[in-house]
Amino acid sequence: MTLPRGFYFRPARAVARELLGCILVSRRGGTLTAGRIVETEAYLGPEDAASHAAIRPVAAHRLLYGDGGRAYVFRIYGVHHCLNAVTGRAGHPGCVLIRALEPVRGAPTMARRRGVTADSVLLTNGPGKLSEALAITLRDNGADLAQGLVMIGPPDAPRRFAVGVGPRVGITRAASRPLRFWIRGNPYVSRR
DNA sequence: TAGCTGATTGACT
DNA sequence: GTCAATCAGCTAA
C-alpha cells in the first residue's frame, strides 16, 4: 500500500505538508525498516534560490523537472545522504526533503546502523540520520516511491496533530521562507 | 585538470 | 559556541 503517483503531482508546499504522518518504508539491506514522517521541507523551482533546481541545474534537472513520485537522493558534505520526494508534473520542478522520522518498524536494525540505542531520538531526527538508519544511498536516486525498495505509504492513523510552520534549516540562500513543516511536540523533530 | 561548495553531523571548547 | 570530515558535481581554464 503506497501513495498514488497523483499525490505528488501538486506543488511542493502542499505535498510537504501532507507528507507529515505518512510512512516511509525501506527494504534496503534485507530488513524492513520504516518510520513516520514528522518533519519536511519544500524546495521549489528555479525561482527558489535554495532549490537544486536553481543551484545544481544539470545534475538535478532530469529528476526535478520530470514527473513527481520519484526519490531524489544526493550526498552532502561528502558524508551524509539526503532523501527527497520529487513533486509536480513534468516541467514543474519541485521536491520535498524528508528531514525526520519517528521509527515504527525495525528500530533495532536502525540502531545497529546508527550506533545508538533503539529508543534514542538520535536514530532518525535528521536527514542524514534517517538515510543512514534506512540504508538509503545514491543507489536509490531516481527510484519510484510507489514501488520498489524505498516507498512511501499513507498515514497508519488519522492525522491528529498540530502542524508547525517555519523557515528552512541549514541553508544559505532564501533561508527565511516558511517552507519547513513539522508535527508539533513530536520528539523526533530535529531542533537547531 | 584543479579548485570550490554544501538542504549535516558529531566532537570538542 | 566553533570546527573538521569528505566527495559528487559544478565552474574555470
Coordinates of all heavy atoms in Angstrom, one line a residue, chain A residues 13-113:
Chain A
R13 N 4.9 22.6 -1.7 CA 4.4 23.1 -0.4 C 3.3 22.2 0.1 O 3.3 21.8 1.2 CB 4.0 24.6 -0.6 CG 3.8 25.3 0.8 CD 3.1 26.6 0.5 NE 3.6 27.2 -0.7 CZ 4.4 28.3 -0.7 NH1 4.8 28.8 0.4 NH2 4.8 28.8 -1.9
A14 N 2.3 21.9 -0.8 CA 1.2 21.1 -0.4 C 1.6 19.7 -0.1 O 1.2 19.1 0.9 CB 0.1 21.1 -1.5
V15 N 2.5 19.1 -0.9 CA 3.0 17.8 -0.7 C 3.7 17.7 0.6 O 3.6 16.7 1.4 CB 3.8 17.3 -1.9 CG1 4.4 15.9 -1.6 CG2 3.0 17.3 -3.2
A16 N 4.6 18.7 0.9 CA 5.4 18.7 2.1 C 4.5 18.6 3.3 O 4.7 17.8 4.3 CB 6.3 19.9 2.2
R17 N 3.4 19.4 3.3 CA 2.5 19.4 4.5 C 1.8 18.1 4.6 O 1.6 17.6 5.8 CB 1.5 20.6 4.3 CG 0.8 21.0 5.5 CD -0.2 22.0 5.2 NE -0.9 22.5 6.4 CZ -0.5 23.5 7.1 NH1 0.5 24.3 6.7 NH2 -1.1 23.8 8.2
E18 N 1.3 17.5 3.5 CA 0.5 16.3 3.6 C 1.4 15.0 3.8 O 0.9 14.0 4.1 CB -0.3 16.2 2.4 CG -1.4 17.2 2.4 CD -2.4 17.0 1.3 OE1 -2.6 15.9 0.9 OE2 -3.0 18.0 0.8
L19 N 2.7 15.2 3.6 CA 3.6 14.0 3.8 C 3.7 13.8 5.3 O 4.1 12.7 5.7 CB 4.9 14.3 3.2 CG 5.5 13.3 2.2 CD1 4.5 12.4 1.5 CD2 6.4 14.0 1.2
L20 N 3.5 14.8 6.1 CA 3.6 14.6 7.6 C 2.6 13.5 8.0 O 1.4 13.5 7.6 CB 3.2 15.9 8.3 CG 4.2 17.0 8.1 CD1 3.7 18.3 8.9 CD2 5.6 16.6 8.6
G21 N 3.1 12.5 8.8 CA 2.2 11.4 9.2 C 2.3 10.2 8.3 O 1.9 9.1 8.7
C22 N 2.8 10.4 7.1 CA 2.9 9.2 6.2 C 4.1 8.3 6.6 O 5.0 8.7 7.3 CB 3.1 9.7 4.7 SG 1.6 10.5 4.1
I23 N 4.1 7.1 6.0 CA 5.1 6.1 6.4 C 6.1 5.9 5.3 O 5.8 5.5 4.2 CB 4.4 4.8 6.8 CG1 3.3 5.0 7.8 CG2 5.4 3.8 7.3 CD1 3.7 5.5 9.1
L24 N 7.4 6.1 5.7 CA 8.5 5.8 4.8 C 9.0 4.4 5.1 O 9.3 4.1 6.2 CB 9.6 6.9 5.0 CG 10.9 6.7 4.2 CD1 10.6 6.7 2.7 CD2 12.0 7.7 4.6
V25 N 9.0 3.6 4.0 CA 9.4 2.2 4.2 C 10.7 1.9 3.3 O 10.7 2.3 2.2 CB 8.3 1.3 3.7 CG1 8.7 -0.2 3.9 CG2 7.0 1.5 4.5
S26 N 11.7 1.2 3.9 CA 12.8 0.8 3.2 C 13.1 -0.7 3.4 O 13.0 -1.1 4.5 CB 14.1 1.6 3.6 OG 15.2 1.0 3.1
R27 N 13.4 -1.4 2.3 CA 13.8 -2.8 2.5 C 15.2 -3.0 2.0 O 15.7 -4.1 1.8 CB 12.8 -3.7 1.6 CG 11.5 -3.9 2.3 CD 10.6 -4.7 1.4 NE 10.2 -3.9 0.2 CZ 9.6 -4.4 -0.9 NH1 9.4 -5.7 -0.9 NH2 9.3 -3.6 -1.9
R28 N 15.9 -1.9 2.0 CA 17.4 -1.9 1.7 C 18.1 -2.7 2.8 O 17.7 -2.6 4.0 CB 18.0 -0.5 1.7 CG 17.8 0.2 0.4 CD 18.8 -0.3 -0.6 NE 18.6 0.4 -1.9 CZ 18.9 -0.1 -3.1 NH1 19.3 -1.4 -3.1 NH2 18.7 0.6 -4.2
G29 N 19.1 -3.5 2.5 CA 19.8 -4.2 3.5 C 19.1 -5.5 4.0 O 19.6 -6.1 5.0
G30 N 18.0 -5.9 3.3 CA 17.4 -7.2 3.7 C 16.4 -7.1 4.9 O 15.8 -8.1 5.2
T31 N 16.4 -6.0 5.6 CA 15.5 -5.9 6.7 C 14.5 -4.8 6.5 O 14.9 -3.7 6.0 CB 16.3 -5.6 8.0 OG1 17.3 -6.6 8.1 CG2 15.4 -5.7 9.2
L32 N 13.3 -5.0 6.8 CA 12.3 -3.9 6.7 C 12.4 -2.9 7.8 O 12.4 -3.2 9.0 CB 10.9 -4.5 6.8 CG 9.7 -3.5 6.6 CD1 9.7 -3.1 5.1 CD2 8.4 -4.1 7.0
T33 N 12.6 -1.7 7.4 CA 12.7 -0.5 8.3 C 11.7 0.5 7.9 O 11.5 0.7 6.7 CB 14.1 0.1 8.4 OG1 14.6 0.3 7.1 CG2 15.1 -0.8 9.1
A34 N 11.0 1.1 8.8 CA 10.0 2.1 8.4 C 9.9 3.2 9.5 O 10.1 2.9 10.7 CB 8.7 1.4 8.2
G35 N 9.4 4.4 9.1 CA 9.2 5.4 10.1 C 8.2 6.4 9.6 O 7.9 6.5 8.4
R36 N 7.5 7.0 10.6 CA 6.5 8.0 10.3 C 7.2 9.3 10.1 O 8.1 9.8 10.8 CB 5.6 8.1 11.5 CG 4.4 9.1 11.3 CD 3.5 9.0 12.5 NE 2.9 7.7 12.7 CZ 3.2 6.9 13.7 NH1 4.0 7.2 14.6 NH2 2.7 5.7 13.7
I37 N 6.8 10.0 9.0 CA 7.5 11.3 8.6 C 6.9 12.4 9.5 O 5.7 12.6 9.6 CB 7.1 11.6 7.1 CG1 7.8 10.6 6.2 CG2 7.7 13.0 6.8 CD1 7.3 10.7 4.8
V38 N 7.9 13.0 10.2 CA 7.4 14.1 11.2 C 8.0 15.4 10.9 O 7.6 16.4 11.6 CB 7.9 13.7 12.6 CG1 7.3 12.3 13.0 CG2 9.4 13.6 12.8
E39 N 8.8 15.5 9.9 CA 9.4 16.8 9.5 C 9.8 16.9 8.0 O 10.4 15.9 7.5 CB 10.6 17.1 10.4 CG 11.2 18.5 10.1 CD 12.4 18.8 11.0 OE1 12.8 17.9 11.8 OE2 13.1 19.8 10.8
T40 N 9.4 17.9 7.3 CA 9.7 18.0 5.9 C 10.0 19.5 5.6 O 9.7 20.4 6.3 CB 8.5 17.6 5.0 OG1 7.4 18.5 5.3 CG2 8.0 16.2 5.2
E41 N 10.7 19.6 4.4 CA 10.9 21.0 3.9 C 10.6 21.0 2.4 O 10.9 20.0 1.7 CB 12.4 21.4 4.1 CG 12.7 21.9 5.5 CD 14.1 22.3 5.7 OE1 14.8 22.3 4.7 OE2 14.5 22.5 6.8
A42 N 10.0 22.0 1.9 CA 9.6 22.1 0.5 C 10.7 22.9 -0.3 O 11.2 23.9 0.2 CB 8.3 22.8 0.3
Y43 N 11.1 22.4 -1.4 CA 12.0 23.2 -2.3 C 11.3 23.3 -3.6 O 10.8 22.4 -4.2 CB 13.3 22.4 -2.4 CG 14.1 22.5 -1.2 CD1 13.9 21.6 -0.1 CD2 15.1 23.6 -1.0 CE1 14.6 21.8 1.1 CE2 15.8 23.7 0.2 CZ 15.5 22.8 1.2 OH 16.2 22.9 2.4
L44 N 11.3 24.5 -4.2 CA 10.5 24.9 -5.3 C 11.4 24.8 -6.6 O 12.4 24.1 -6.6 CB 9.9 26.2 -5.1 CG 9.3 26.4 -3.8 CD1 8.7 27.8 -3.6 CD2 8.2 25.4 -3.5
G45 N 11.0 25.5 -7.6 CA 11.7 25.5 -8.9 C 12.9 26.5 -8.9 O 13.4 26.9 -7.8
P46 N 13.3 26.9 -10.0 CA 14.5 27.9 -10.2 C 14.2 29.2 -9.5 O 15.2 29.9 -9.2 CB 14.6 28.0 -11.7 CG 13.4 27.5 -12.3 CD 12.8 26.5 -11.3
E47 N 12.9 29.6 -9.2 CA 12.7 30.8 -8.5 C 13.0 30.7 -7.0 O 13.1 31.8 -6.4 CB 11.2 31.2 -8.7 CG 10.2 30.5 -7.8 CD 9.9 29.1 -8.4 OE1 10.5 28.6 -9.3 OE2 9.0 28.4 -7.8
D48 N 13.3 29.5 -6.6 CA 13.7 29.3 -5.2 C 15.2 29.1 -5.2 O 15.7 28.1 -5.6 CB 13.0 28.1 -4.6 CG 13.4 27.7 -3.2 OD1 14.2 28.5 -2.6 OD2 13.0 26.6 -2.7
A49 N 15.9 30.1 -4.6 CA 17.4 30.2 -4.7 C 18.0 29.0 -4.0 O 19.2 28.6 -4.3 CB 17.9 31.5 -4.2
A50 N 17.3 28.4 -3.1 CA 17.9 27.3 -2.3 C 17.7 25.9 -3.0 O 18.2 24.9 -2.6 CB 17.3 27.2 -0.9
S51 N 16.8 25.9 -4.0 CA 16.4 24.6 -4.6 C 17.5 24.2 -5.5 O 18.2 25.0 -6.2 CB 15.1 24.8 -5.4 OG 14.9 23.6 -6.2
H52 N 17.7 22.9 -5.6 CA 18.7 22.3 -6.5 C 18.3 22.5 -8.0 O 19.1 22.4 -8.9 CB 19.0 20.8 -6.2 CG 19.9 20.6 -5.0 ND1 20.4 19.4 -4.6 CD2 20.3 21.6 -4.1 CE1 21.1 19.6 -3.5 NE2 21.1 20.9 -3.2
A53 N 17.0 22.8 -8.1 CA 16.6 23.1 -9.5 C 17.2 24.4 -9.9 O 17.4 24.7 -11.1 CB 15.1 23.3 -9.5
A54 N 17.7 25.2 -8.9 CA 18.3 26.5 -9.3 C 19.8 26.4 -9.2 O 20.5 27.0 -10.0 CB 17.8 27.6 -8.3
I55 N 20.4 25.7 -8.2 CA 21.8 25.8 -8.0 C 22.6 24.5 -8.4 O 23.8 24.5 -8.5 CB 22.1 26.0 -6.5 CG1 21.6 24.9 -5.6 CG2 21.6 27.4 -6.0 CD1 22.0 25.0 -4.2
R56 N 21.9 23.5 -8.8 CA 22.5 22.3 -9.3 C 21.8 21.9 -10.6 O 21.3 20.8 -10.7 CB 22.6 21.1 -8.3 CG 23.4 21.4 -7.1 CD 23.3 20.3 -6.1 NE 24.4 19.3 -6.3 CZ 24.6 18.3 -5.5 NH1 23.8 18.0 -4.6 NH2 25.6 17.5 -5.7
P57 N 21.7 22.8 -11.5 CA 20.7 22.6 -12.6 C 21.0 21.3 -13.4 O 20.0 20.5 -13.6 CB 20.9 23.8 -13.5 CG 21.9 24.7 -12.8 CD 22.4 24.0 -11.6
V58 N 22.2 21.0 -13.8 CA 22.4 19.9 -14.7 C 22.1 18.6 -14.0 O 21.4 17.7 -14.5 CB 23.8 19.9 -15.3 CG1 24.1 18.7 -16.2 CG2 24.1 21.2 -16.0
A59 N 22.7 18.4 -12.8 CA 22.6 17.1 -12.1 C 21.1 16.9 -11.8 O 20.6 15.7 -11.8 CB 23.4 17.1 -10.9
A60 N 20.4 17.9 -11.3 CA 19.1 17.7 -10.8 C 18.0 17.8 -11.8 O 16.9 17.3 -11.6 CB 18.8 18.7 -9.6
H61 N 18.3 18.4 -12.9 CA 17.2 18.7 -13.9 C 16.4 17.5 -14.2 O 15.2 17.5 -14.2 CB 17.9 19.3 -15.2 CG 17.7 20.7 -15.3 ND1 17.7 21.4 -16.5 CD2 17.5 21.7 -14.4 CE1 17.5 22.7 -16.3 NE2 17.4 22.9 -15.1
R62 N 17.1 16.5 -14.6 CA 16.4 15.3 -15.2 C 15.3 14.8 -14.2 O 14.2 14.5 -14.6 CB 17.4 14.2 -15.4 CG 17.0 13.3 -16.6 CD 18.1 12.4 -17.0 NE 17.5 11.3 -17.6 CZ 18.2 10.4 -18.4 NH1 19.5 10.6 -18.5 NH2 17.6 9.4 -18.9
L63 N 15.7 14.8 -12.9 CA 14.7 14.3 -11.9 C 13.7 15.3 -11.6 O 12.5 15.1 -11.6 CB 15.5 13.8 -10.7 CG 15.9 12.4 -10.6 CD1 16.7 12.1 -9.4 CD2 14.6 11.5 -10.6
L64 N 14.2 16.5 -11.2 CA 13.3 17.5 -10.6 C 12.3 18.1 -11.7 O 11.3 18.5 -11.3 CB 14.2 18.7 -10.1 CG 15.0 18.3 -8.9 CD1 15.8 19.5 -8.3 CD2 14.2 17.6 -7.8
Y65 N 12.7 18.1 -12.9 CA 11.8 18.5 -14.0 C 11.0 17.4 -14.6 O 10.2 17.7 -15.4 CB 12.6 19.2 -15.1 CG 13.0 20.7 -14.7 CD1 14.2 20.9 -14.0 CD2 12.3 21.7 -15.2 CE1 14.5 22.2 -13.6 CE2 12.6 23.0 -14.8 CZ 13.7 23.3 -14.1 OH 14.1 24.5 -13.7
G66 N 11.2 16.2 -14.1 CA 10.3 15.1 -14.5 C 9.1 15.0 -13.6 O 8.8 15.8 -12.8
D67 N 8.3 14.0 -13.9 CA 7.1 13.8 -13.1 C 7.4 13.5 -11.6 O 8.5 12.9 -11.3 CB 6.3 12.6 -13.6 CG 5.3 13.0 -14.7 OD1 4.9 14.2 -14.7 OD2 4.8 12.2 -15.5
G68 N 6.5 13.9 -10.7 CA 6.8 13.6 -9.3 C 6.6 12.1 -9.0 O 6.2 11.3 -9.8
G69 N 6.9 11.8 -7.7 CA 6.7 10.4 -7.2 C 8.0 9.6 -7.3 O 8.0 8.4 -7.0
R70 N 9.1 10.3 -7.5 CA 10.4 9.6 -7.5 C 11.3 10.1 -6.4 O 11.0 11.2 -5.9 CB 11.1 9.8 -8.8 CG 10.3 9.5 -10.1 CD 11.1 9.5 -11.3 NE 11.8 8.3 -11.5 CZ 11.4 7.2 -12.1 NH1 10.2 7.3 -12.7 NH2 12.1 6.1 -12.2
A71 N 12.3 9.3 -6.0 CA 13.2 9.7 -5.0 C 14.4 10.5 -5.6 O 14.8 10.2 -6.7 CB 13.8 8.5 -4.3
Y72 N 14.8 11.6 -4.9 CA 15.9 12.4 -5.3 C 16.9 12.3 -4.2 O 16.6 12.9 -3.1 CB 15.6 13.8 -5.7 CG 16.8 14.7 -5.8 CD1 17.9 14.4 -6.6 CD2 16.7 16.0 -5.3 CE1 19.0 15.3 -6.7 CE2 17.8 16.9 -5.4 CZ 18.9 16.5 -6.1 OH 20.0 17.4 -6.2
V73 N 18.0 11.6 -4.3 CA 19.0 11.4 -3.2 C 20.3 12.1 -3.6 O 20.7 11.9 -4.7 CB 19.2 9.9 -2.9 CG1 20.2 9.7 -1.8 CG2 17.9 9.2 -2.7
F74 N 20.9 12.8 -2.7 CA 22.2 13.4 -3.0 C 23.0 13.3 -1.8 O 22.6 13.1 -0.7 CB 22.0 14.9 -3.5 CG 21.4 15.8 -2.4 CD1 22.3 16.5 -1.6 CD2 20.1 15.9 -2.3 CE1 21.8 17.3 -0.6 CE2 19.5 16.8 -1.3 CZ 20.4 17.5 -0.5
R75 N 24.3 13.4 -2.0 CA 25.3 13.4 -0.9 C 25.6 14.8 -0.5 O 25.8 15.7 -1.4 CB 26.6 12.7 -1.5 CG 27.3 11.8 -0.5 CD 28.6 11.5 -1.0 NE 29.0 10.1 -0.8 CZ 29.0 9.4 0.4 NH1 28.5 10.1 1.4 NH2 29.4 8.2 0.5
I76 N 25.7 15.0 0.8 CA 26.0 16.4 1.3 C 27.2 16.4 2.2 O 27.4 15.4 3.0 CB 24.8 17.0 2.0 CG1 25.0 18.4 2.4 CG2 24.4 16.1 3.2 CD1 25.0 19.4 1.2
Y77 N 28.1 17.3 2.0 CA 29.3 17.4 2.8 C 30.2 16.2 2.7 O 30.9 15.9 3.6 CB 29.0 17.8 4.3 CG 28.3 19.1 4.4 CD1 27.0 19.2 4.8 CD2 29.0 20.3 4.0 CE1 26.4 20.4 4.9 CE2 28.4 21.5 4.2 CZ 27.1 21.6 4.6 OH 26.5 22.8 4.7
G78 N 30.0 15.4 1.6 CA 30.8 14.2 1.4 C 30.5 13.1 2.4 O 31.1 12.0 2.2
V79 N 29.6 13.3 3.3 CA 29.5 12.2 4.3 C 28.0 11.7 4.5 O 27.8 10.6 4.9 CB 29.9 12.7 5.7 CG1 31.0 11.9 6.3 CG2 30.2 14.2 5.7
H80 N 27.1 12.6 4.2 CA 25.7 12.2 4.5 C 24.8 12.2 3.3 O 25.1 12.9 2.3 CB 25.1 13.1 5.5 CG 25.8 13.2 6.8 ND1 25.9 12.1 7.7 CD2 26.6 14.1 7.3 CE1 26.6 12.4 8.7 NE2 27.1 13.6 8.5
H81 N 23.7 11.5 3.3 CA 22.7 11.5 2.2 C 21.5 12.2 2.7 O 21.1 12.1 3.8 CB 22.4 10.0 1.8 CG 23.6 9.2 1.3 ND1 24.0 9.4 0.1 CD2 24.4 8.4 1.9 CE1 25.1 8.6 -0.1 NE2 25.3 7.9 1.0
C82 N 20.8 12.8 1.7 CA 19.5 13.4 2.0 C 18.5 12.8 1.0 O 18.8 12.7 -0.2 CB 19.6 14.9 1.8 SG 20.5 15.8 3.0
L83 N 17.3 12.5 1.5 CA 16.3 11.9 0.7 C 15.2 12.9 0.4 O 14.6 13.6 1.4 CB 15.7 10.7 1.4 CG 14.4 10.1 0.8 CD1 14.7 9.5 -0.6 CD2 13.8 9.1 1.7
N84 N 14.8 13.1 -0.8 CA 13.7 14.0 -1.3 C 12.7 13.2 -2.1 O 13.0 12.2 -2.7 CB 14.2 15.1 -2.2 CG 15.3 15.9 -1.5 OD1 15.0 17.1 -1.2 ND2 16.5 15.4 -1.4
A85 N 11.5 13.7 -2.1 CA 10.4 13.2 -3.0 C 10.2 14.3 -4.0 O 9.9 15.4 -3.7 CB 9.2 12.9 -2.2
V86 N 10.3 13.9 -5.3 CA 10.1 14.8 -6.4 C 8.6 15.1 -6.5 O 7.8 14.2 -6.4 CB 10.7 14.3 -7.7 CG1 10.4 15.3 -8.8 CG2 12.2 14.0 -7.6
T87 N 8.3 16.4 -6.7 CA 6.9 16.7 -6.8 C 6.5 17.4 -8.1 O 7.4 17.9 -8.8 CB 6.5 17.7 -5.6 OG1 7.2 18.9 -5.8 CG2 6.8 17.1 -4.3
G88 N 5.3 17.5 -8.4 CA 4.8 18.2 -9.6 C 4.9 17.4 -10.9 O 5.6 16.4 -10.9
R89 N 4.1 17.9 -11.8 CA 4.1 17.2 -13.1 C 5.4 17.6 -13.9 O 6.1 18.5 -13.5 CB 3.0 17.7 -14.0 CG 1.6 17.1 -13.6 CD 1.7 15.7 -14.2 NE 0.3 15.1 -14.2 CZ 0.1 13.9 -14.7 NH1 1.0 13.2 -15.2 NH2 -1.1 13.4 -14.6
A90 N 5.8 16.8 -14.9 CA 6.9 17.2 -15.7 C 6.9 18.6 -16.2 O 5.8 19.1 -16.6 CB 7.0 16.2 -16.9
G91 N 8.0 19.3 -16.0 CA 8.0 20.7 -16.4 C 7.7 21.6 -15.3 O 7.9 22.9 -15.4
H92 N 7.3 21.1 -14.1 CA 7.0 21.9 -12.9 C 7.9 21.4 -11.8 O 7.5 20.5 -11.0 CB 5.5 21.8 -12.5 CG 4.6 22.4 -13.6 ND1 4.2 23.7 -13.6 CD2 4.1 21.8 -14.7 CE1 3.4 23.9 -14.6 NE2 3.3 22.8 -15.3
P93 N 9.2 21.8 -11.7 CA 10.1 21.2 -10.8 C 9.8 21.6 -9.3 O 9.2 22.6 -9.0 CB 11.4 21.9 -11.2 CG 11.0 23.2 -11.8 CD 9.7 22.9 -12.5
G94 N 10.2 20.7 -8.5 CA 10.0 20.9 -7.0 C 10.3 19.6 -6.3 O 10.2 18.5 -6.9
C95 N 10.6 19.6 -5.0 CA 10.8 18.4 -4.3 C 10.6 18.7 -2.8 O 10.5 19.9 -2.3 CB 12.2 17.8 -4.5 SG 13.5 18.8 -3.9
V96 N 10.5 17.6 -2.0 CA 10.3 17.7 -0.6 C 11.4 16.9 0.1 O 11.5 15.7 -0.1 CB 8.9 17.2 -0.2 CG1 8.7 17.2 1.3 CG2 7.8 18.0 -0.8
L97 N 12.1 17.6 1.0 CA 13.2 17.0 1.7 C 12.6 16.3 3.0 O 11.8 17.0 3.7 CB 14.2 18.0 2.2 CG 15.3 17.5 3.2 CD1 16.2 16.5 2.6 CD2 16.1 18.7 3.7
I98 N 12.8 15.0 3.2 CA 12.4 14.4 4.4 C 13.4 14.6 5.5 O 14.5 14.1 5.4 CB 12.2 12.8 4.2 CG1 11.5 12.5 2.8 CG2 11.5 12.2 5.3 CD1 10.1 12.7 2.8
R99 N 13.1 15.4 6.5 CA 14.1 15.8 7.5 C 14.1 14.9 8.7 O 15.1 14.8 9.4 CB 13.8 17.2 7.9 CG 14.3 18.3 6.9 CD 14.3 19.6 7.6 NE 15.3 19.6 8.7 CZ 16.6 19.8 8.6 NH1 17.1 20.1 7.4 NH2 17.3 19.8 9.7
A100 N 13.0 14.3 9.1 CA 13.0 13.5 10.3 C 11.9 12.4 10.3 O 10.8 12.7 9.7 CB 12.8 14.4 11.5
L101 N 12.1 11.3 11.0 CA 11.2 10.2 11.1 C 11.0 9.8 12.6 O 11.9 10.0 13.4 CB 11.7 9.0 10.4 CG 11.9 9.0 8.9 CD1 12.5 7.6 8.5 CD2 10.7 9.3 8.1
E102 N 9.8 9.2 12.8 CA 9.6 8.5 14.1 C 9.6 7.0 13.8 O 8.7 6.6 13.0 CB 8.3 9.0 14.7 CG 8.0 8.2 16.0 CD 6.6 8.6 16.5 OE1 6.0 9.5 16.0 OE2 6.1 7.9 17.4
P103 N 10.5 6.2 14.2 CA 10.6 4.8 13.9 C 9.3 4.0 14.2 O 8.8 4.2 15.3 CB 11.8 4.3 14.7 CG 12.6 5.5 15.1 CD 11.6 6.6 15.2
V104 N 8.9 3.2 13.2 CA 7.7 2.3 13.5 C 8.0 0.9 13.3 O 7.3 0.0 13.8 CB 6.5 2.8 12.7 CG1 6.0 4.1 13.0 CG2 6.8 2.7 11.2
R105 N 9.1 0.6 12.5 CA 9.4 -0.8 12.2 C 11.0 -0.9 12.2 O 11.6 -0.1 11.6 CB 8.8 -1.4 10.9 CG 7.3 -1.6 10.9 CD 7.0 -2.8 11.7 NE 7.5 -4.1 11.1 CZ 6.9 -4.7 10.1 NH1 5.8 -4.3 9.6 NH2 7.5 -5.8 9.7
G106 N 11.5 -2.0 12.7 CA 12.9 -2.3 12.6 C 13.9 -1.4 13.3 O 15.0 -1.2 12.9
A107 N 13.4 -0.8 14.4 CA 14.2 0.1 15.2 C 15.6 -0.6 15.6 O 16.6 0.1 15.6 CB 13.5 0.6 16.5
P108 N 15.6 -1.9 16.0 CA 16.9 -2.5 16.3 C 17.9 -2.5 15.2 O 19.1 -2.2 15.4 CB 16.5 -3.9 16.7 CG 15.1 -3.8 17.1 CD 14.5 -2.8 16.3
T109 N 17.4 -2.7 14.0 CA 18.2 -2.6 12.8 C 18.8 -1.2 12.6 O 20.0 -1.0 12.3 CB 17.5 -3.1 11.5 OG1 17.0 -4.4 11.7 CG2 18.4 -3.0 10.3
M110 N 17.9 -0.2 12.7 CA 18.3 1.2 12.6 C 19.4 1.5 13.7 O 20.4 2.1 13.4 CB 17.2 2.1 12.8 CG 16.0 2.0 11.8 SD 14.8 3.3 12.1 CE 13.4 2.5 11.4
A111 N 19.2 1.0 14.9 CA 20.1 1.2 16.0 C 21.5 0.7 15.7 O 22.5 1.3 15.9 CB 19.6 0.6 17.3
R112 N 21.5 -0.5 15.0 CA 22.8 -1.1 14.7 C 23.5 -0.3 13.6 O 24.7 0.0 13.7 CB 22.5 -2.5 14.2 CG 23.8 -3.3 13.8 CD 23.5 -4.8 13.8 NE 22.2 -5.2 13.3 CZ 21.9 -5.2 12.0 NH1 22.7 -4.8 11.1 NH2 20.6 -5.5 11.6
R113 N 22.7 0.2 12.6 CA 23.4 1.0 11.6 C 23.8 2.4 12.1 O 24.8 2.9 11.7 CB 22.3 1.3 10.5 CG 22.0 0.0 9.7 CD 20.8 0.3 8.8 NE 20.4 -0.9 8.0 CZ 19.3 -1.1 7.4 NH1 18.3 -0.2 7.5 NH2 19.0 -2.2 6.7

